[in-house]
């Protein structure tokens, strides 16, 4: 097989108030797995959207095997064998269609309008052949709505491969995956590499990149910084390139006098995933909820916040039993939740930064007759933007135009105005770079200093140990173990997270 070379030269692109890419160069080949990394807002996803045809107003040139190519639409990118699998897999699939219909969707759509009957048997046969060739064990006739996140991702990769893919872009592919699912993804990536496909891998999980990738390109502030062979660099060197400075201690050092019990949960049960969970959190305490993907952490957070149906059990704040039937009840009773899926549940992506920051406590910004005090909202937003270090041109910028880390700061910032009693963070650093992670850890530590009760739910065990005072390990919807953070290790947490007794 002949190896192909892809080159992007002097790529620049601007959005209102933001120069997202500034004269960027990028190159890779088939038979290679190439890591593309940078802090949130570095421009890596934007560069790949240019390559995949999602953005057409860029300047610069793209070459394949030395020949200049014209890519200004997704269709043109696909014609050159360039495919992309975005982090939000649900947006690219049709849930009420089968796996086979989704895999063959591009072929099906391209044949629409022609006078011919749809041969469904042939569609499913071809889809099943593609799945089997990649050793993906998902039935072609199963509905996409019935799949796990990992299976949906595999279906999207299978669709890409069905289109004579030469270069496959994976944007944060491991963010929602468990350890075993990540290993399966890596197997597929290695198979693609062997079959003369070039894979461009965007991720913030540096150890994974050093395991699977051959080369690494680092971007910062919309510019190309470096390109190196993985075997010739190190994680610390890469992080310093990303941040433009030496890597400092990630977790804030603080000492807080733990107060009385603020939150008490007795026998919380959602009749589906979580089973009779008991826990408590004291004032100034950060309590970890550790567990692997699918353990029930997210379901617990939603049940506590009134976002689940058929919940039983008892929730008390400062000794008072609460009746929480909805998120509205939760907010009224002093609970705040920063959810795992920030774009779907944590922010209003089409609205401005100012609107998002005031959304959780709109009463503080209303005048008589319920008219919104825009001046007060603007002043408050500007203060939060400064104190949280949110990188945005202005408070009027739409949140969808911010990087993932800055979106997460907005999701957290809106609750700081409400001054809740209990703050629940569900995977708060998912898809966030090391620089933004440090900012988020400091925000959480600051809440604890103010005497707030904090729950930190994550499958990142190093973070759990770095930021918490006490930990509950969740396995299969139940608390498997409670430990003091100072007395445990990642190995012990992993042991209980995987069902160890």
């Amino acid at each position: 097989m002949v190896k192909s070379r892809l080159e992007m030269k002097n790529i620049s692109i601007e959005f209102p108030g933001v120069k997202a890419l500034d004269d960027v160069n990028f190159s890779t080949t088939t038979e290679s797995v190439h890591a593309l990394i940078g802090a949130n807002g570095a421009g890596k996803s934007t560069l790949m959207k240019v390559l995949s045809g999602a953005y057409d107003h860029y300047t610069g040139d793209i070459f394949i095997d030395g020949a200049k190519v014209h890519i200004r639409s997704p269709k043109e990118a696909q014609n050159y064998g360039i495919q992309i699998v975005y982090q939000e897999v649900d947006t690219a699939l049709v849930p009420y269609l089968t796996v086979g219909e989704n895999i063959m969707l591009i072929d099906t759509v391209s044949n629409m309008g022609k006078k011919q009957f749809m041969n469904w048997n042939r569609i499913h046969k071809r889809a099943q052949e593609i799945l089997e060739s990649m050793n993906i064990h998902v039935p072609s006739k199963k509905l996409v709505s019935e799949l796990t996140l990992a299976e949906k991702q595999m279906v999207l990769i299978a669709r890409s491969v069905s289109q004579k893919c030469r270069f496959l872009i994976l944007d944060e592919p491991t963010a929602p995956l468990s350890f075993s699912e990540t290993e399966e993804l890596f197997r597929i990536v290695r198979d693609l590499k062997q079959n003369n496909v070039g894979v461009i891998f965007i991720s913030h999980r540096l150890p994974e990149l050093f395991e699977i990738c051959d080369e690494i390109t680092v971007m910062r502030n919309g510019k190309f910084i470096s390109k190196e062979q993985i075997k010739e660099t190190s994680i610390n060197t890469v992080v310093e390139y990303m941040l433009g400075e030496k890597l400092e201690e990630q977790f804030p050092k603080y000492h807080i006098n733990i107060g009385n019990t603020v939150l008490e949960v007795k026998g919380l049960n959602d009749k589906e995933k979580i089973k009779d969970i008991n826990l408590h959190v004291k004032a100034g305490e950060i309590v970890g909820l550790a567990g692997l993907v699918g353990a029930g952490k997210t379901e617990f957070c939603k049940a506590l916040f009134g976002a689940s149906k058929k919940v039983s059990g008892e929730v008390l704040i400062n000794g008072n039993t609460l009746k929480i039937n909805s998120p509205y009840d939760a907010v009224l009773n002093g609970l705040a939740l920063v959810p795992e899926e920030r774009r779907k549940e944590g922010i209003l992506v089409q609205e401005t930064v100012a609107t998002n920051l005031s959304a959780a406590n709109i009463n503080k910004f209303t005048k008589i007759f319920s008219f919104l005090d825009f001046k007060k909202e603007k002043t408050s937003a500007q203060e939060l933007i400064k104190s949280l270090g949110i990188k945005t041109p202005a408070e009027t910028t739409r949140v969808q135009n911010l990087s993932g880390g800055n979106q997460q700061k907005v999701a957290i910032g809106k609750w700081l105005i409400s001054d809740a009693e209990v703050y629940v963070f569900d995977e708060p650093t998912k898809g966030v770079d090391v620089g933004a992670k440090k900012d988020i850890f400091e925000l959480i530590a600051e809440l604890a200093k103010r005497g707030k009760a904090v729950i930190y739910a994550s499958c990142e065990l190093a973070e759990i140990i770095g930021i918490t005072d006490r930990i509950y390990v969740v396995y299969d919807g139940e608390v498997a173990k409670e430990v003091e953070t100072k007395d445990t290790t990642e190995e012990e947490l992993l042991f209980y997270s995987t069902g160890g007794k």
Side-chain angles (χ1 to χ4, degrees):
M1 288 181 284
V2 179
K3 189 184 287 190
S4 288
R5 181 171 181 80
L6 168 73
E7 295 174 282
M8 303 178 76
K9 295 184 177 180
N10 308 118
I11 304 295
S12 295
I13 192 169
E14 292 188 27
F15 298 97
V18 181
K19 187 156 191 176
L21 297 175
D22 187 2
D23 223 24
V24 175
N25 294 312
F26 175 82
S27 63
T28 190
T29 63
T30 52
E31 295 183 13
S32 171
V33 184
H34 196 121
L36 178 61
I37 70 160
N40 291 109
K44 54 195 183 298
S45 292
T46 304
L47 184 67
M48 290 300 101
K49 285 181 178 178
V50 167
L51 180 59
S52 61
Y55 294 146
D56 65 353
H57 62 288
Y58 65 90
T59 59
D61 299 304
I62 301 173
F63 299 85
I64 295 179
D65 296 330
K68 187 176 175 179
V69 296
H70 184 275
I71 297 177
R72 300 284 171 174
S73 71
K75 183 73 172 69
E76 288 172 335
Q78 289 162 13
N79 289 342
Y80 290 109
I82 297 165
Q83 299 278 348
I84 186 166
V85 176
Y86 290 109
Q87 186 178 349
E88 289 86 11
V89 293
D90 287 314
T91 62
L93 293 168
V94 184
Y96 52 81
L97 294 183
T98 63
V99 168
E101 288 162 352
N102 270 278
I103 289 174
M104 304 305 293
L105 190 63
I106 296 172
D107 286 338
T108 304
V109 170
S110 64
N111 286 325
M112 291 182 92
K114 298 177 183 177
K115 291 186 177 180
Q116 60 179 6
F117 290 104
M118 202 65 70
N119 189 330
W120 297 110
N121 286 334
R122 190 174 67 190
I123 284 173
H124 284 291
K125 183 181 178 184
R126 176 62 185 137
Q128 198 63 50
E129 287 172 353
I130 294 166
L131 290 167
E132 288 173 4
S133 72
M134 300 175 69
N135 201 22
I136 298 174
H137 306 292
V138 180
S140 172
K141 293 188 177 180
K142 190 173 184 178
L143 286 176
V144 159
S145 58
E146 297 171 358
L147 302 182
T148 65
L149 265 175
E151 288 171 334
K152 289 175 183 176
Q153 198 171 65
M154 302 304 177
V155 168
L156 279 175
I157 294 172
R159 180 200 287 174
S160 301
V161 171
S162 76
Q163 298 299 305
K164 297 188 176 72
C165 179
R166 281 201 284 178
F167 295 96
L168 177 64
I169 305 158
L170 299 176
D171 191 359
E172 292 287 352
T174 63
L177 304 187
S178 67
F179 176 79
S180 60
E181 289 167 341
T182 297
E183 286 299 305
E184 181 62 14
L185 174 67
F186 284 1
R187 179 194 64 76
I188 290 173
V189 168
R190 291 186 182 106
D191 287 348
L192 291 171
K193 176 182 169 181
Q194 291 296 318
N195 289 309
N196 202 32
V197 175
V199 178
I200 302 169
F201 208 105
I202 302 174
S203 177
H204 291 301
R205 294 179 168 180
L206 297 180
E208 292 179 353
L209 295 179
F210 274 72
E211 178 185 343
I212 192 69
C213 297
D214 304 299
E215 296 179 296
I216 186 163
T217 292
V218 181
M219 295 180 64
R220 186 173 71 242
N221 297 331
K223 296 181 179 181
F224 168 86
I225 298 299
S226 72
K227 177 185 176 183
E228 296 182 87
Q229 295 292 312
I230 283 282
K231 61 188 177 185
E232 295 173 0
T233 188
S234 68
I235 289 179
N236 278 2
T237 299
V238 165
V239 169
E240 287 169 13
Y241 282 146
M242 286 170 61
L243 300 179
E245 59 190 17
K246 289 283 184 183
L247 179 62
E248 298 175 0
E249 174 63 44
Q250 268 199 302
F251 303 106
K253 300 294 182 188
Y254 61 92
H255 177 74
I256 297 166
N257 292 320
I258 306 297
N260 296 324
T261 298
V262 174
L263 173 72
E264 198 170 358
V265 177
K266 299 179 180 179
L268 198 67
N269 192 318
D270 70 353
K271 307 294 193 294
E272 291 182 3
K273 184 67 180 179
I274 60 170
K275 307 154 193 170
D276 300 322
I277 287 183
N278 299 291
L279 59 76
H280 68 277
V281 189
K282 295 179 178 180
E285 188 179 33
I286 302 174
V287 169
L289 210 59
L292 303 180
V293 172
K297 305 183 302 298
T298 293
E299 289 80 3
F300 169 81
C301 294
K302 287 185 174 180
L304 180 63
F305 197 61
S308 301
K309 298 175 183 177
K310 299 180 181 177
V311 174
S312 62
E314 197 175 0
V315 178
L316 299 88
I317 289 185
N318 295 323
N320 299 314
T321 301
L322 310 182
K323 188 174 182 182
I324 299 176
N325 296 317
S326 68
Y328 178 76
D329 294 336
V331 174
L332 286 182
N333 284 286
L335 280 161
L337 170 65
V338 178
E340 178 182 18
E341 298 296 332
R342 61 174 171 263
R343 287 184 67 88
K344 287 168 65 176
E345 301 168 343
I347 50 176
L348 305 166
V349 292
Q350 300 287 344
E351 299 296 336
T352 66
V353 173
T355 299
N356 272 272
L357 290 174
S358 64
N361 208 10
I362 202 71
N363 290 340
K364 285 194 173 183
F365 302 98
T366 52
K367 300 177 181 178
I368 193 167
F369 302 124
S370 298
F371 287 110
L372 191 64
D373 187 337
F374 290 105
K375 186 177 180 181
K376 189 175 180 182
E377 182 189 54
K378 177 181 177 180
T379 301
S380 175
Q382 288 174 337
E383 289 172 356
L384 276 171
I385 288 167
K386 185 178 180 181
S387 65
L388 298 178
I390 299 171
K391 292 179 182 175
T392 176
E395 76 282 350
T396 52
T397 301
R398 291 184 189 276
V399 171
Q400 65 183 359
N401 294 327
L402 302 186
S403 67
N406 287 300
Q407 288 179 357
Q408 189 69 308
K409 289 180 185 179
V410 171
I412 295 170
K414 71 180 183 184
W415 292 113
L416 300 184
I417 301 172
S418 68
D419 198 34
E421 291 291 321
V422 179
Y423 286 81
V424 182
F425 295 87
D426 186 12
E427 299 288 358
T429 62
K430 179 179 172 182
V432 170
D433 69 77
V434 287
K437 277 184 183 182
K438 188 170 184 290
D439 292 340
I440 289 169
F441 295 146
E442 287 176 351
L443 278 172
I444 291 170
E446 191 57 41
L447 288 170
K449 286 179 188 174
R450 285 164 47 187
K452 305 302 180 183
V454 179
I455 293 177
Y456 189 99
S458 179
C459 61
E460 302 288 350
L461 302 182
E463 293 181 8
I464 288 274
I465 286 179
I467 193 70
T468 67
D469 302 295
R470 190 163 49 86
I471 303 165
Y472 293 94
V473 183
V474 180
Y475 172 75
D476 197 23
E478 299 179 288
V479 171
K481 187 74 173 176
E482 178 187 352
V483 293
E484 293 287 329
T485 303
K486 62 182 172 56
D487 299 329
T488 192
T489 62
E490 283 187 57
E491 288 74 21
E492 184 184 25
L493 295 182
L494 187 60
F495 174 74
Y496 289 113
S497 295
T498 52
K501 300 291 183 183

